[in-house]
Amino acid sequence: MFLGLDLGTSGLRGILLDDEHKLIAESEADIKTSYPHAGWSEQNPDDWIAACVQVTENLQLSHPKQFAALKAIGLSGQMHGATLLDADGMVLRPCILWNDTRSHREAAHLDQIPEFRAISGNIVFPGFTAPKLEWIRANEPAVFARVEKVLLPKDYLRLWLTGDYISDFSDSSGTSWLNVRAREWSDTCLELSHMALEQMPALAEGNAAAGVLRQDIMRRWNIQKPVIVAGGAADNAAMACGMGLVGDGTVVLSIGTSGVVLRAMNSYQSNTDRAVHCFCHAVPERWLQLGVTLSATNCINWLAKSLNESVAELVASLPTELSGPNPIIFLPYLSGERTPHNDSGIRSAFIGIDSATDAEDLKQAVMEGVAFALRECMDALEDGVVSTEDWFVVGGGSLSPFWLETLATILKHPLAVPTDPQLGAGIGAARLASCAATNQDYREIMTVPKATRVIEPRTDISDRYEEQYKLYKNCYQALKPVSLLRRL
């Protein structure tokens, strides 16, 4: 048995696969996020451990025999989070998450230092880890002075499981401290941001062994033989492994809390001019390019809360088919934006509201706004020539037929939906565990899933969406001065 633990922003999911990689069981536990101030986003690392205990207990109770045969664990996790530990391994403060923008000034300062883009292959985004530590240094100097180790969220979970300070290359790519081409920590980037190599975890490939489960946890789980913990992966790299995206070819769109357009590459290719992310893949000698919009399903969650509806009620009230774009334009910048703007200060807006506008208009506009943002991400990646082969769509947003047809029409490309569109990262983590335990070639394990259905674009009305997309792109520049005034 192989266990994949996927630590997301809203919860932790456990996926149990057998030795033929068939899904045996899954379980999920929610995780609370706090927002102490505007633009801030934090979680308590103890909540990750509590969620892991809940998920594993559920799996153990529902499938005791299979769980007792556990051979390896793979970890997947939300990126960029700064988990700060003292000399005793104790957490110093709540973890600052990937969608926290408080360190936008520190990020801009570091990004002006040429070495960061040249070595890390990426813009220093406010959500990345390095500027968070610079913010801590400036605003919480007593905490900064006690920092002995900085771990990413899934690697804090690994520390609890194994007692080891280890990370993988894909997750570490989002810190601004990794030489992404060479796959090693950069002494230069660390020194320029007042950090040291000793504060970093050791590094491992995602499909390699990176620790062994602690004896006390083995006893609690009624496991007799040693359990390997694989290097694991950042959430999007794990999702790529779950979707069989390990070489040039297939494109995957992930509609989760954030929205991601992702493609794998056989060579390192950086594209900072379009705010495209270039990260190491979770498997050796492979890299990833990502276009990222910071708010996807998060926009739906926000609107549902504002309308005093559940998300299920909101989705159920949507039309059964497209009839053309809504005249209202929504800009989905609840937490700023990455690709292609790299603008942490920009904020959302509805444009075109009049006295006839109702809640149904707002719902459709939000769906379309997120789809337009993903189209911008795709356009940015096309600077590097995106494959014209299959495009898969995964994540919670893929469960809405209306949204999928909207997205396919705006992207002008069919979208394939796999059997389990929400399990990609967890399955990818379990696949990495299998590789670590068996030394099997990852290319034999990480195969492309079958599509249960293919969503075709509505070619009869695609021109109308194209015209709306042109208006959408112009709105960013119009909104930017208003967002600047808001911050003064």
Side-chain angles (χ1 to χ4, degrees):
M1 291 291 147
F2 304 105
L3 175 63
L5 293 173
D6 177 28
L7 176 58
T9 311
S10 59
L12 184 140
R13 176 181 281 118
I15 303 291
L16 194 62
L17 301 183
D18 66 13
D19 56 2
E20 295 181 352
H21 292 183
K22 293 180 181 178
L23 179 64
I24 301 301
E26 62 171 297
S27 179
E28 187 172 5
D30 293 336
I31 295 172
K32 181 181 177 181
T33 302
S34 62
Y35 306 95
H37 303 284
W40 290 31
S41 182
E42 299 181 343
Q43 287 181 349
N44 182 349
D46 288 342
D47 292 343
W48 306 336
I49 305 303
C52 185
V53 170
Q54 181 181 338
V55 164
T56 52
E57 284 183 352
N58 291 344
L59 293 173
Q60 186 181 14
L61 288 171
S62 63
H63 294 76
K65 184 177 178 180
Q66 293 94 329
F67 197 81
L70 190 62
K71 189 171 184 178
I73 300 171
L75 301 172
S76 164
Q78 51 170 301
M79 297 186 73
H80 315 310
T83 313
L84 311 182
L85 307 179
D86 67 12
D88 297 319
M90 302 301 293
V91 175
L92 290 168
R93 67 173 326 283
C95 175
I96 305 177
L97 300 189
W98 59 273
N99 55 352
D100 188 295
T101 58
R102 76 184 74 179
S103 60
H104 60 90
R105 293 185 181 86
E106 289 79 8
H109 171 72
L110 294 178
D111 195 49
Q112 293 301 309
I113 303 173
E115 288 87 346
F116 273 95
R117 289 196 185 190
I119 294 172
S120 74
N122 291 277
I123 292 171
V124 182
F125 291 99
F128 281 19
T129 320
K132 292 179 171 69
L133 269 294
E134 281 291 85
W135 186 92
I136 294 291
R137 186 174 71 90
N139 295 276
E140 298 177 2
V143 171
F144 185 82
R146 296 177 60 197
V147 174
E148 289 291 323
K149 290 289 183 183
V150 180
L151 293 181
L152 297 163
K154 80 166 194 324
D155 299 318
Y156 181 73
L157 194 59
R158 183 203 315 278
L159 177 65
W160 178 74
L161 290 168
T162 69
D164 297 319
Y165 295 96
I166 298 175
S167 188
D168 79 290
F169 294 110
S170 67
D171 216 357
S172 299
S173 297
T175 62
S176 291
W177 292 318
L178 191 79
N179 184 325
V180 173
R181 184 197 297 268
R183 301 171 95 94
E184 63 185 18
W185 293 120
S186 166
D187 288 327
T188 298
C189 291
L190 287 165
E191 183 178 352
L192 288 170
S193 55
H194 306 92
M195 299 296 291
L197 184 60
E198 293 74 23
Q199 294 170 297
M200 299 296 106
L203 291 169
E205 291 287 358
N207 61 333
V212 178
L213 190 64
R214 286 171 21 210
Q215 288 288 328
D216 60 319
I217 298 179
M218 288 178 60
R219 288 190 293 270
R220 186 186 311 169
W221 290 355
N222 193 31
I223 294 173
Q224 305 302 318
K225 296 181 180 180
V227 176
I228 290 172
V229 178
D235 49 6
N236 288 304
M239 181 265 291
C241 292
M243 297 297 297
L245 185 61
V246 292
D248 290 341
T250 306
V251 170
V252 176
L253 292 87
S254 175
I255 312 176
T257 304
S258 62
V260 178
V261 179
L262 178 150
R263 72 181 183 119
M265 302 176 296
N266 295 336
S267 60
Y268 168 87
Q269 297 177 40
S270 175
N271 182 7
T272 55
D273 290 343
R274 298 297 304 276
V276 171
H277 299 50
C278 179
F279 295 154
C280 297
H281 206 323
V283 293
E285 299 180 351
R286 295 290 186 271
W287 286 263
L288 297 169
Q289 275 194 339
L290 303 88
V292 178
T293 180
L294 286 176
S295 296
T297 60
N298 198 33
C299 293
I300 302 301
N301 297 338
W302 164 79
L303 183 62
K305 180 180 178 181
S306 300
L307 296 176
N308 197 28
E309 295 182 13
S310 70
V311 172
E313 290 171 334
L314 187 154
V315 172
S317 68
L318 292 168
T320 56
E321 63 178 23
L322 303 191
S323 59
N326 194 278
I328 308 302
I329 292 176
F330 175 70
L331 300 167
Y333 307 140
L334 294 178
S335 302
E337 192 55 299
R338 288 196 189 172
T339 310
H341 302 301
N342 183 29
D343 189 341
S344 64
I346 198 73
R347 286 298 181 267
S348 292
F350 286 104
I351 297 176
I353 290 176
D354 61 26
S355 57
T357 300
D358 59 19
E360 306 312 308
D361 292 315
L362 300 183
K363 294 173 187 179
Q364 184 176 348
V366 167
M367 293 276 190
E368 291 172 358
V370 174
F372 286 139
L374 287 167
R375 167 72 183 273
E376 282 196 304
C377 289
M378 185 66 76
D379 289 348
L381 259 67
E382 284 183 343
D383 282 357
V385 187
V386 168
S387 165
T388 57
E389 298 176 14
D390 291 339
W391 292 8
F392 278 90
V393 59
V394 299
S398 65
L399 301 179
S400 166
F402 179 81
W403 207 353
L404 286 182
E405 192 174 38
T406 300
L407 187 57
T409 302
I410 288 172
L411 292 174
K412 299 182 177 181
H413 200 288
L415 298 176
V417 183
T419 305
D420 298 305
Q422 296 193 84
L423 304 184
I427 290 175
R431 285 177 166 183
L432 290 168
S434 176
C435 290
T438 65
N439 292 319
Q440 190 173 356
D441 190 327
Y442 66 83
R443 286 162 290 199
E444 298 176 5
I445 294 174
M446 296 172 188
T447 55
V448 177
K450 293 181 180 179
T452 55
R453 64 189 192 280
V454 176
I455 310 300
E456 297 289 344
R458 286 282 303 278
T459 56
D460 57 321
I461 53 176
S462 62
D463 288 347
R464 293 167 60 188
Y465 283 95
E466 187 67 21
E467 290 301 313
Q468 189 81 337
Y469 177 53
K470 293 176 183 177
L471 293 175
Y472 170 89
K473 290 199 294 183
N474 290 332
C475 289
Y476 168 77
Q477 291 298 336
L479 181 62
K480 190 174 178 64
V482 179
S483 292
L484 288 173
L485 287 172
R486 172 185 170 276
R487 295 167 62 182
L488 294 178

